[in-house]
Amino acid sequence: MTLALQTFATVKDASAALKAAGARYLGGGTLVVRAVNEGDVSISGFVRSTDPALSAISVSGGTVRIGASVTMAAIARHPDLATLAHAARAVGGPAIRNMASVGGNLFAPTPYGDFTVALLALDATVSADDGELPIETFLAKRESNHAIVTAVGFTIPKEGGFFLKVSRVKPKGISVLSIATVLEHAPDGTVSSARIAFGCMADRPIRARAAEKALIGRELTSEGIAPALAVARDGTSQRTDPIASAWYRNEVLPVHLGRLLLA
């Protein structure tokens, strides 16, 4: 099968070319090229853009904007992106991280998409050639999205964030589950704000709303986090795949969330 590759200098021109039947956008290529190699005959050609903005990282006044073509490797080594470095390093091995892009990860199906879990906990926004959306809104309708994602943006959290990937194979195994947290504390040491995101606990990364609510006003002790762990599974819809069963993911989620919160 012959595949055409079209390269455009602007996202606008690339977006126009994507309207052709069978055309797919080529970012890092780790998802769409694999699909072709596995026999997806619906794809007849690739479209990409060399717009420099897609590969740019901007950090200014605590606000971060990362182009959709920026790779996991670039994020992992950037001096101002320590908040995301751990999540970026959790994506595959070195060869994959040199290709896998921020934009591509947003579309990665479970059990992939670990980096997106971190972005969800950061309450990021997703910019495309047709506008900007909160990441949670974007993820809810990503299958129907036909715009080219151009960047993600977020505010660096005051107290940093934490990320955990649970896998059977170290260091680059596919996820059993992943968890990202961004917490803030009141002067008395209790949690004043909580954002928690799960990967592999639904068909896409999700927020753990019940657990977030249960943490407010609590201390990060075994007793303090117990209410959050009790409701950690609320709103989840675990999947069984070759990596782990839905039952296993359901059982280990509170265990690993507890370890992360107490770390």
Side-chain angles (χ1 to χ4, degrees):
M1 180 175 67
T2 301
L3 293 171
L5 172 61
Q6 300 180 78
T7 301
F8 298 92
T10 67
V11 171
K12 181 179 179 181
D13 290 339
S15 183
L18 279 176
K19 295 179 181 178
R24 297 290 187 277
Y25 188 77
L26 181 66
T30 57
L31 293 176
V32 69
V33 172
R34 184 184 69 177
V36 170
N37 290 339
E38 292 178 348
D40 188 342
V41 296
S42 69
I43 302 174
S44 60
F46 297 133
V47 172
R48 71 187 186 107
S49 174
T50 56
D51 189 330
L54 294 174
S55 300
I57 299 175
S58 172
V59 183
S60 177
T63 299
V64 177
R65 184 177 176 85
I66 304 174
S69 295
V70 173
T71 65
M72 297 297 112
I75 290 169
R77 63 175 177 258
H78 196 284
D80 296 322
L81 295 180
T83 301
L84 284 172
H86 190 184
R89 294 189 187 103
V91 177
I96 294 294
R97 289 194 293 273
N98 281 332
M99 296 176 61
S101 64
V102 171
N105 201 267
L106 289 169
F107 291 92
T110 295
Y112 306 102
D114 299 307
F115 187 78
T116 300
V117 178
L119 290 176
L120 184 56
L122 287 167
D123 205 23
T125 58
V126 178
S127 298
D129 61 325
D130 64 350
E132 183 177 273
L133 289 172
I135 188 170
E136 197 167 8
T137 303
F138 170 85
L139 289 173
K141 58 179 184 178
R142 67 182 179 184
E143 286 78 14
S144 62
N145 179 75
H146 299 294
I148 296 176
V149 171
T150 56
V152 296
F154 61 90
T155 300
I156 298 175
K158 296 177 181 179
E159 301 181 29
F162 294 90
F163 177 84
L164 172 68
K165 174 179 176 177
V166 180
S167 62
R168 297 181 186 274
V169 178
K170 310 295 184 183
K172 58 178 182 178
I174 300 171
S175 288
V176 171
L177 62 90
S178 53
I179 307 170
T181 65
V182 174
L183 309 178
E184 294 182 6
H185 293 80
D188 64 358
T190 60
V191 176
S192 60
S193 173
R195 294 198 300 272
I196 303 172
F198 295 150
C200 298
M201 300 308 291
D203 65 342
R204 68 203 66 210
I206 59 171
R207 285 279 292 272
R209 298 287 184 182
E212 292 173 352
K213 184 177 180 181
L215 275 180
I216 303 302
R218 310 286 297 192
E219 295 182 347
L220 295 182
T221 63
S222 296
E223 182 179 306
I225 67 173
L229 302 187
V231 298
R233 303 182 185 93
D234 289 9
T236 63
S237 178
Q238 297 86 341
R239 300 298 178 95
T240 293
D241 55 39
I243 307 304
S245 67
W247 174 87
Y248 182 76
R249 288 186 165 109
N250 187 67
E251 290 297 306
V252 301
L253 174 63
V255 175
H256 289 291
L257 176 59
R259 291 173 179 173
L260 186 61
L261 291 174
L262 294 175

